[in-house]
PDB file of all heavy atoms in Angstrom:
ATOM      1  N   LYS A   9       4.441  21.194  -3.976  1.00 94.00           N
ATOM      2  CA  LYS A   9       5.637  21.394  -4.795  1.00 94.00           C
ATOM      3  C   LYS A   9       5.537  22.697  -5.574  1.00 94.00           C
ATOM      4  O   LYS A   9       4.508  22.985  -6.191  1.00 94.00           O
ATOM      5  CB  LYS A   9       5.827  20.222  -5.774  1.00 94.00           C
ATOM      6  CG  LYS A   9       6.957  20.402  -6.763  1.00 94.00           C
ATOM      7  CD  LYS A   9       8.318  20.285  -6.101  1.00 94.00           C
ATOM      8  CE  LYS A   9       9.435  20.615  -7.073  1.00 94.00           C
ATOM      9  NZ  LYS A   9      10.733  20.754  -6.397  1.00 94.00           N
ATOM     10  N   THR A  10       6.581  23.487  -5.513  1.00 92.00           N
ATOM     11  CA  THR A  10       6.630  24.762  -6.239  1.00 92.00           C
ATOM     12  C   THR A  10       7.821  24.752  -7.174  1.00 92.00           C
ATOM     13  O   THR A  10       8.894  24.288  -6.806  1.00 92.00           O
ATOM     14  CB  THR A  10       6.840  25.932  -5.250  1.00 92.00           C
ATOM     15  OG1 THR A  10       6.051  25.694  -4.106  1.00 92.00           O
ATOM     16  CG2 THR A  10       6.463  27.248  -5.887  1.00 92.00           C
ATOM     17  N   PHE A  11       7.631  25.239  -8.397  1.00 90.00           N
ATOM     18  CA  PHE A  11       8.759  25.523  -9.297  1.00 90.00           C
ATOM     19  C   PHE A  11       8.843  27.026  -9.433  1.00 90.00           C
ATOM     20  O   PHE A  11       7.986  27.637 -10.056  1.00 90.00           O
ATOM     21  CB  PHE A  11       8.547  24.908 -10.679  1.00 90.00           C
ATOM     22  CG  PHE A  11       8.624  23.407 -10.704  1.00 90.00           C
ATOM     23  CD1 PHE A  11       7.504  22.650 -10.997  1.00 90.00           C
ATOM     24  CD2 PHE A  11       9.819  22.761 -10.436  1.00 90.00           C
ATOM     25  CE1 PHE A  11       7.576  21.264 -11.027  1.00 90.00           C
ATOM     26  CE2 PHE A  11       9.898  21.379 -10.467  1.00 90.00           C
ATOM     27  CZ  PHE A  11       8.772  20.630 -10.758  1.00 90.00           C
ATOM     28  N   GLY A  12       9.864  27.637  -8.872  1.00 87.00           N
ATOM     29  CA  GLY A  12       9.962  29.097  -8.918  1.00 87.00           C
ATOM     30  C   GLY A  12       8.763  29.711  -8.205  1.00 87.00           C
ATOM     31  O   GLY A  12       8.566  29.501  -7.009  1.00 87.00           O
ATOM     32  N   HIS A  13       7.950  30.475  -8.957  1.00 86.00           N
ATOM     33  CA  HIS A  13       6.753  31.069  -8.352  1.00 86.00           C
ATOM     34  C   HIS A  13       5.522  30.243  -8.659  1.00 86.00           C
ATOM     35  O   HIS A  13       4.405  30.632  -8.356  1.00 86.00           O
ATOM     36  CB  HIS A  13       6.548  32.497  -8.893  1.00 86.00           C
ATOM     37  CG  HIS A  13       7.639  33.424  -8.496  1.00 86.00           C
ATOM     38  ND1 HIS A  13       7.851  33.799  -7.195  1.00 86.00           N
ATOM     39  CD2 HIS A  13       8.613  34.024  -9.208  1.00 86.00           C
ATOM     40  CE1 HIS A  13       8.890  34.604  -7.130  1.00 86.00           C
ATOM     41  NE2 HIS A  13       9.384  34.739  -8.350  1.00 86.00           N
ATOM     42  N   ASN A  14       5.736  29.109  -9.317  1.00 89.00           N
ATOM     43  CA  ASN A  14       4.632  28.325  -9.834  1.00 89.00           C
ATOM     44  C   ASN A  14       4.260  27.202  -8.865  1.00 89.00           C
ATOM     45  O   ASN A  14       5.012  26.250  -8.693  1.00 89.00           O
ATOM     46  CB  ASN A  14       5.064  27.763 -11.192  1.00 89.00           C
ATOM     47  CG  ASN A  14       3.882  27.314 -11.995  1.00 89.00           C
ATOM     48  OD1 ASN A  14       2.741  27.460 -11.560  1.00 89.00           O
ATOM     49  ND2 ASN A  14       4.162  26.763 -13.157  1.00 89.00           N
ATOM     50  N   LEU A  15       3.082  27.346  -8.236  1.00 89.00           N
ATOM     51  CA  LEU A  15       2.604  26.298  -7.334  1.00 89.00           C
ATOM     52  C   LEU A  15       2.039  25.159  -8.158  1.00 89.00           C
ATOM     53  O   LEU A  15       0.991  25.311  -8.788  1.00 89.00           O
ATOM     54  CB  LEU A  15       1.502  26.863  -6.446  1.00 89.00           C
ATOM     55  CG  LEU A  15       1.957  27.606  -5.195  1.00 89.00           C
ATOM     56  CD1 LEU A  15       0.947  28.670  -4.826  1.00 89.00           C
ATOM     57  CD2 LEU A  15       2.132  26.622  -4.067  1.00 89.00           C
ATOM     58  N   VAL A  16       2.731  24.032  -8.183  1.00 92.00           N
ATOM     59  CA  VAL A  16       2.303  22.938  -9.049  1.00 92.00           C
ATOM     60  C   VAL A  16       1.448  21.922  -8.292  1.00 92.00           C
ATOM     61  O   VAL A  16       0.477  21.391  -8.808  1.00 92.00           O
ATOM     62  CB  VAL A  16       3.520  22.255  -9.687  1.00 92.00           C
ATOM     63  CG1 VAL A  16       3.074  21.154 -10.611  1.00 92.00           C
ATOM     64  CG2 VAL A  16       4.333  23.274 -10.464  1.00 92.00           C
ATOM     65  N   ASP A  54       8.241  19.903  -1.690  1.00 93.00           N
ATOM     66  CA  ASP A  54       8.566  20.885  -0.653  1.00 93.00           C
ATOM     67  C   ASP A  54       7.985  20.491   0.704  1.00 93.00           C
ATOM     68  O   ASP A  54       8.527  20.849   1.745  1.00 93.00           O
ATOM     69  CB  ASP A  54       8.019  22.266  -1.037  1.00 93.00           C
ATOM     70  CG  ASP A  54       8.555  22.715  -2.380  1.00 93.00           C
ATOM     71  OD1 ASP A  54       9.716  22.384  -2.682  1.00 93.00           O
ATOM     72  OD2 ASP A  54       7.813  23.375  -3.134  1.00 93.00           O
TER      73      ASP A  54
END
Side-chain angles (χ1 to χ4, degrees):
Chain A
K9 174 72 186 169
T10 319
F11 290 114
H13 295 293
N14 198 2
L15 276 151
V16 182
D54 303 326

